[in-house]
Amino acid sequence: MQIRKAQRHDAKVAFEIRNQAILSQCKGHYDDAMLAAWTAGELPIAFTDAFSEHGYVAMVNDAVVGVGMIDVNHDAVDSPIVTTGMVDAMFVRPTAFGQGVGRAMLQQLEAVAIKAGCKKLILDASLNAADFYRACGFKGDKQSIYHSPRGLELACIPMEKIISN
């Protein structure tokens, strides 16, 4: 497996993997109507822009099997100090599920955040993914609501991981 920085053309396959993973792994945690709404529509330009800027792809035999994004944020507009990295859009192709792709991607995103000077990572875990993130050192138990850019309200678990002292 190789993980590389995403390019603009990777957004299409990333969006496909996202939809496949949601329909496969989130079933039973969200109702069918929510899954249909979550995966409806075409590839948004905003996703393409964000993924090409912040995304990474995991490759096996020249095929993309996993994706993830890390956005490092500045605490203040006038401050160059970066302390928090936001993990987003972590998805694994269902045929590659359970093969360490997600863990490898998360390690890559963490390395990017550390290099940028981040002290912690944050994310909003889907209900089905919270145990995976806990196994990777994230903490968080309280359920909240994620307001997606597409206008959906999804149950999630906000989580964080301290990555530097």
Side-chain angles (χ1 to χ4, degrees):
M1 179 182 357
Q2 175 190 20
I3 298 177
R4 65 168 171 77
K5 180 74 179 79
Q7 299 171 2
R8 193 162 185 84
H9 71 271
D10 292 316
K12 184 175 192 288
V13 72
F15 195 70
E16 291 169 4
I17 290 172
R18 168 199 177 271
N19 287 347
Q20 291 171 4
I22 289 167
L23 293 172
S24 167
Q25 301 302 316
C26 296
K27 195 163 190 63
H29 297 273
Y30 300 90
D31 65 37
D32 290 343
M34 180 58 73
L35 295 177
W38 197 358
T39 57
E42 299 297 316
L43 171 65
I45 295 291
F47 182 87
T48 300
D49 292 344
F51 192 72
S52 63
E53 184 176 351
H54 305 290
Y56 289 81
V57 295
M59 310 282 297
V60 172
N61 297 326
D62 296 324
V64 178
V65 295
V67 298
M69 291 196 302
I70 182 77
D71 186 5
V72 291
N73 299 308
H74 297 279
D75 286 335
V77 176
D78 59 352
S79 173
I81 300 170
V82 178
T83 61
T84 303
M86 175 72 178
V87 174
D88 196 13
M90 278 258 318
F91 297 102
V92 174
R93 191 179 296 279
T95 56
F97 192 74
Q99 298 175 19
V101 176
R103 189 173 293 273
M105 178 60 72
L106 198 53
Q107 289 170 343
Q108 172 68 29
L109 300 180
E110 185 173 324
V112 170
I114 289 170
K115 186 175 180 181
C118 294
K119 305 266 187 232
K120 71 177 176 177
L121 294 176
I122 60 172
L123 57 84
D124 290 318
S126 57
L127 299 179
N128 58 293
D131 286 341
F132 164 76
Y133 288 115
R134 283 186 196 104
C136 293
F138 282 79
K139 299 199 181 314
D141 294 309
K142 293 183 181 177
Q143 191 167 311
S144 185
I145 299 295
Y146 171 75
H147 300 276
S148 83
R150 302 173 91 188
L152 299 175
E153 293 185 350
L154 299 159
C156 71
I157 300 176
M159 304 183 90
E160 70 176 39
K161 177 180 181 181
I162 303 302
I163 56 175
S164 177
N165 292 335

